[in-house]
Amino acid sequence: MADKLTRGVVVLGLGRFGRSLALELMAAGDDVLGVDADPRLVQQLSGRLTHIVEGDTTSEEVLRQLNIGDFSRAVVGMGTDLEASILTASVVLDLGVKQVWAKAISASHARILTQIGVHHVVRPEHDMGKKVAHLVRGRMLDYIEFDDGYAFVRTRVPQAMHGRSLSGFGVRQLYDVTVVGVKPAGGEFTYATPETVLRAGDEIIVSGQQRKVEAFAALS
């Protein structure tokens, strides 16, 4: 297998999640090796990935033959078949891949993947559900939360801040959050500075601990 490809990403399991991820990586310019035991899925993606192989992702012998250990990044995309997910992740880790992502469908699945050494566990349905719930419940326009409880929120400027500069209003002192970007009505996002004056209709990006950015967004 060409060295160029092994500098790309291997996606193991080409169901709905793995397929979508592999195609997004391709669109972004990455080289992608896709592997799945289902010949139907392999046929559907033939010619759309840099390289695609029909094979048992739980087999160490198969993954060795594909030089998976030479890849620096791998994604274990199957979720509903927990045994296949865990076995595949274990083999990939044993082969020495430095950064392994894996999909989990439950908290217990995620815990097992973490315990065997997976570097990044993702729960797409769970994470999207949390995000949508935040958007439905509050005044947020967008919401991103990280594992340690840190979050970014896109929201509108609270009325109390209209015509005020960030330093003059004292956002950080009052709410312990940071306004990192401002988008005037009809304009583009720019970096915020202490001198930035906020207007009615502006959108802002705020960062900080989850509960604090949520409390601040509730003001808008």
Side-chain angles (χ1 to χ4, degrees):
M1 190 172 298
D3 182 59
K4 177 183 178 182
L5 183 54
T6 59
R7 290 199 300 269
V9 184
V10 58
V11 179
L12 303 150
L14 298 170
R16 184 168 57 183
F17 173 75
R19 173 194 181 105
S20 175
L21 175 66
L23 292 174
E24 285 292 331
L25 290 168
M26 287 292 295
D30 288 292
D31 292 299
V32 178
L33 167 64
V35 186
D36 198 287
D38 187 337
R40 179 181 55 86
L41 293 176
V42 171
Q43 180 61 36
Q44 287 176 355
L45 289 172
S46 179
R48 303 181 67 184
L49 304 182
T50 311
H51 195 58
I52 188 166
V53 175
E54 179 186 338
D56 180 2
T57 63
T58 68
S59 168
E60 181 174 345
E61 180 180 355
V62 168
L63 298 192
R64 282 191 183 278
Q65 290 176 353
L66 293 172
N67 296 328
I68 298 304
D70 293 339
F71 283 78
S72 61
R73 296 172 293 166
V75 180
V76 179
M78 68 281 291
T80 54
D81 188 339
L82 270 64
E83 182 177 0
S85 166
I86 294 165
L87 287 174
T88 298
S90 178
V91 172
V92 170
L93 289 164
D94 286 345
L95 291 176
V97 178
K98 294 180 180 178
Q99 291 294 321
V100 179
W101 283 258
K103 175 186 175 180
I105 62 170
S106 66
S108 57
H109 187 191
R111 184 168 60 252
I112 293 170
L113 290 170
T114 300
Q115 288 172 346
I116 67 173
V118 170
H119 309 100
H120 311 279
V121 176
V122 294
R123 295 179 61 190
E125 293 85 358
H126 174 266
D127 294 343
M128 181 54 68
K130 286 185 64 177
K131 177 176 180 177
V132 173
H134 280 296
L135 300 182
V136 170
R137 287 175 53 229
R139 301 292 184 87
M140 306 176 196
L141 303 175
D142 206 352
Y143 179 89
I144 301 173
E145 181 184 343
F146 298 91
D147 289 341
D148 58 358
Y150 194 83
F152 280 84
V153 167
R154 178 177 175 181
T155 187
R156 299 195 186 281
V157 177
Q159 184 174 0
M161 296 180 66
H162 293 174
R164 306 282 297 275
S165 69
L166 292 175
S167 60
F169 187 77
V171 175
R172 190 173 296 178
Q173 293 78 12
L174 288 173
Y175 299 101
D176 197 22
V177 299
T178 301
V179 177
V180 296
V182 180
K183 180 179 182 292
E188 302 291 334
F189 269 108
T190 59
Y191 289 110
T193 70
E195 292 74 35
T196 297
V197 176
L198 303 177
R199 312 286 182 187
D202 288 356
E203 295 178 7
I204 53 178
I205 296 176
V206 183
S207 67
Q209 291 300 311
Q210 174 190 346
R211 61 182 179 81
K212 293 179 179 179
V213 295
E214 290 178 355
F216 178 81
L219 301 172
S220 62

